Amino acid sequence: MLSATMTVDPAFRVGEVDPRLYGSFVEHMGRCVYTGIYEPGHPRADENGFRQDTADLVRELGVPLVRYPGGNFVSGYRWEDGIGPVGERPTRLDLAWRSLESNHVGVGEFLTWARTVGVEPMMAVNLGTRGIDAARSLVEYCNLPGGTYWSDLRGGRPYGIKTWCLGNEMDGPWQIGHKTAPEYARLALETAKAMRQVDPSIELVACGSSGRQMPTFGSWEATVLAETYDAVDYVSMHAYYQQHGDDRDSFLACATDMDQFIDELVATADHVRAVGRHSKRINISFDEWNVWYQSRFAGETNLAVEHQPRLIEDVYSVTDAVVVGNLLISLLRHADRVKIGCQAQLVNVIATIMTEPGGTAWRQASFHPYALTTRYGRGTVLQPAITAPTHETARHGEVPLLDAVAVQTDDGVVLFAVNRSQTEPMTLDVDLRALPGLTTATHTVLADDDPDAINTAQQPDRVQPRDLSEPKMDGGRLRAELPALSWNMIRVGG
């Protein structure tokens, strides 16, 4: 039996959790939109064609914000194709994912769906094949009350979209309209200025690096922010993780890479702030992250052209879900600077929710740590002092076998913890004496005797969280038993 200790003190405050940290992502890619959230003729479709079984799970997941419509898709997207009578909309070839886009779901349809499921939209504009004019017109269409061409064409009340992405992954050579850092920086600056002239209240996200492994990481952000610092509010970052071969120990520790990635981006942004004598701080929009087995993907250039293909529909195991929970711990640990997060994606495509055309919808294993963290991880993040055993990994060197964070809430504190050991349970002793009045605790765990267990349409509840016996509380001290290879949530109250 392994053993670890943790001390939680409200004096060691990281920052308030922005609810948008728990956002998600809907891209016109694969079956995320078509047969995912939208399927006219489905037994549970509403009058607008949106699947209510999917919508129910989105509400249960609790995501407050959804980024749309991409992703690589947005860099070739003409948003005007998705407005007006549906029967008159053109079918386009999407070069990003080599798919046929019917445009049956466009800006208005998506925003109507967003309202019905209670999520805030985060809209991306095309800075690949388009630019300033299309972006400012889209802001006019979405946000102006009326009296202009685009706002009158919309009709009805404005959508009031607050947060906008200035393109997507423009540092990536795979991106349609890929640009160098100076090229993108100038375009992003001028687009930002025009968009704010239409609606001064919006927030803007500049493209950061598509991953820590990008050869331009660091220099890209320095160049882009030096040009756009006063015109934007956030810089984006993207990261995906997978198990390589049989190296599960490194996979279970990949949140250490996320931590380093965030720390390095914060350092770069603050360097630009210092050099430019800027007063505000640029925060982070981590608007794509997840477990994605990219080694299984044949690559977009090898795809056949078709409508709503089954594209990167990874099936997630208990192990994958534990990693997702650990990545959420990493985001919470940086809540002072990471204000927006988008797990990519919401439905079918590397998703927490899966559907079958004409059939059922169900929760993937990764749904559960996400839903529970979203529900209970609201408040002030505290940085605990942890003493834990370590082990050596091939990719990340020596890492602790326990990773954890604490969130102080209105009625107590919630501990999120991962035991990274594949074989050994762990006794966790927590000192909570700095938070007087806490006398009761509940312990919820996601683990399984089979680390490769998954949920399917036939067995949708094979993997789900369970409550363990109540942890022992004595004089402000708590003891809990964390199973091997597990994600844990311990709620402590009065």
Side-chain angles (χ1 to χ4, degrees):
M1 175 78 75
L2 301 170
S3 62
T5 64
M6 180 164 63
T7 301
V8 180
D9 191 315
F12 298 102
R13 180 182 181 277
V14 175
E16 294 296 314
V17 178
D18 189 318
R20 296 176 300 170
L21 184 72
Y22 301 121
S24 190
F25 181 30
V26 166
E27 181 173 2
H28 284 250
M29 174 184 181
R31 296 193 309 114
C32 186
V33 174
Y34 303 108
T35 74
I37 66 172
Y38 176 81
E39 187 180 351
H42 187 275
R44 293 208 57 199
D46 67 10
E47 67 277 11
N48 296 313
F50 289 101
R51 290 182 56 153
Q52 292 308 290
D53 55 347
T54 305
D56 288 344
L57 291 178
V58 172
R59 295 186 189 98
E60 181 185 337
L61 187 62
V63 294
L65 171 142
V66 173
R67 180 170 171 247
Y68 176 86
N72 294 350
F73 172 82
V74 78
S75 292
Y77 182 49
R78 293 179 51 85
W79 67 266
E80 302 93 333
D81 290 342
I83 64 174
V86 172
E88 298 177 11
R89 296 179 187 177
T91 296
R92 301 286 190 189
L93 172 62
D94 165 38
L95 295 179
W97 303 112
R98 294 188 60 77
S99 301
L100 295 173
E101 172 56 52
S102 68
N103 285 299
H104 288 177
V105 172
V107 173
E109 286 80 15
F110 172 76
L111 294 172
T112 297
W113 173 83
R115 282 175 175 169
T116 65
V117 296
V119 304
E120 175 188 341
M122 178 182 181
M123 186 70 73
V125 300
N126 177 357
L127 294 190
T129 60
R130 308 190 77 188
I132 300 169
D133 191 52
R136 59 128 179 179
S137 297
L138 180 56
V139 178
E140 179 183 324
Y141 179 84
C142 291
N143 286 11
L144 258 63
T148 67
Y149 175 79
W150 289 114
S151 60
D152 287 346
L153 196 61
R154 177 199 68 236
R157 62 189 176 103
Y159 298 117
I161 299 173
K162 176 183 179 181
T163 311
W164 297 75
C165 301
L166 295 167
N168 173 76
E169 293 186 352
M170 299 309 299
D171 64 321
W174 58 85
Q175 201 69 210
I176 301 170
H178 160 65
K179 293 170 176 60
T180 65
E183 290 170 341
Y184 170 72
R186 287 294 302 151
L187 177 59
L189 174 63
E190 296 305 319
T191 303
K193 287 160 57 178
M195 292 171 70
R196 287 194 193 277
Q197 283 182 294
V198 178
D199 183 351
S201 71
I202 61 176
E203 294 183 332
L204 296 172
V205 183
C207 283
S209 292
S210 305
R212 188 172 176 233
Q213 78 287 349
M214 294 296 292
T216 55
F217 169 54
S219 62
W220 172 277
E221 284 81 0
T223 300
V224 169
L225 290 177
E227 188 77 29
T228 66
Y229 200 97
D230 289 327
V232 302
D233 305 283
Y234 307 91
V235 60
S236 73
M237 56 193 307
H238 295 174
Y240 294 101
Y241 299 98
Q242 68 175 56
Q243 181 174 321
H244 296 273
D246 60 0
D247 185 10
R248 184 157 287 179
D249 281 340
S250 291
F251 179 47
L252 288 167
C254 65
T256 61
D257 180 85
M258 178 181 270
D259 287 332
Q260 292 168 12
F261 189 12
I262 295 171
D263 291 342
E264 290 161 358
L265 180 52
V266 167
T268 302
D270 287 350
H271 168 75
V272 176
R273 176 177 182 260
V275 170
R277 307 294 196 271
H278 301 285
S279 58
K280 72 176 183 181
R281 291 189 184 275
I282 292 289
N283 287 319
I284 292 173
S285 174
F286 211 136
D287 47 44
E288 283 190 38
W289 69 269
N290 205 351
V291 171
W292 174 12
Y293 287 86
Q294 291 176 291
S295 59
R296 302 173 185 170
F297 178 46
E300 58 273 17
T301 58
N302 296 312
L303 300 175
V305 176
E306 54 184 315
H307 287 282
Q308 63 243 14
R310 290 182 180 266
L311 191 59
I312 62 170
E313 298 190 6
D314 285 1
V315 177
Y316 293 125
S317 68
V318 171
T319 300
D320 298 320
V322 169
V323 170
V324 165
N326 201 167
L327 295 174
L328 284 164
I329 289 172
S330 178
L331 293 176
L332 282 170
R333 186 162 35 242
H334 295 89
D336 57 330
R337 299 299 291 271
V338 181
K339 299 300 181 180
I340 300 172
C342 299
Q343 188 189 41
Q345 293 184 19
L346 186 60
V347 186
N348 288 328
V349 179
I350 52 173
T352 51
I353 299 168
M354 297 296 292
T355 71
E356 276 298 317
T360 188
W362 68 97
R363 307 166 191 84
Q364 290 238 55
S366 59
F367 181 100
H368 297 296
Y370 203 96
L372 289 169
T373 306
T374 299
R375 186 177 310 153
Y376 295 109
R378 305 293 182 98
T380 304
V381 178
L382 306 179
Q383 181 62 59
I386 297 173
T387 302
T390 63
H391 72 162
E392 192 71 22
T393 65
R395 286 179 172 265
H396 309 297
E398 186 178 8
V399 300
L401 286 168
L402 172 72
D403 196 17
V405 73
V407 179
Q408 187 175 18
T409 65
D410 291 338
D411 55 1
V413 66
V414 182
L415 311 176
F416 298 101
V418 167
N419 179 3
R420 292 169 171 162
S421 172
Q422 296 188 58
T423 57
E424 295 293 323
M426 179 183 294
T427 299
L428 175 61
D429 288 301
V430 185
D431 186 341
L432 295 164
R433 289 176 296 174
L435 294 158
L438 301 180
T439 58
T440 63
T442 60
H443 184 181
T444 302
V445 65
L446 188 74
D448 199 280
D449 291 338
D450 178 5
D452 297 314
I454 61 172
N455 289 340
T456 64
Q458 293 72 36
Q459 290 186 295
D461 297 318
R462 167 66 180 83
V463 177
Q464 56 183 319
R466 67 183 191 275
D467 291 333
L468 300 184
S469 58
E470 292 187 0
K472 298 176 182 177
M473 291 284 295
D474 183 16
R477 295 179 183 271
L478 175 150
R479 170 168 286 189
E481 306 293 337
L482 312 184
L485 211 171
S486 64
W487 173 87
N488 303 264
M489 180 181 71
I490 301 171
R491 298 167 61 203
V492 190

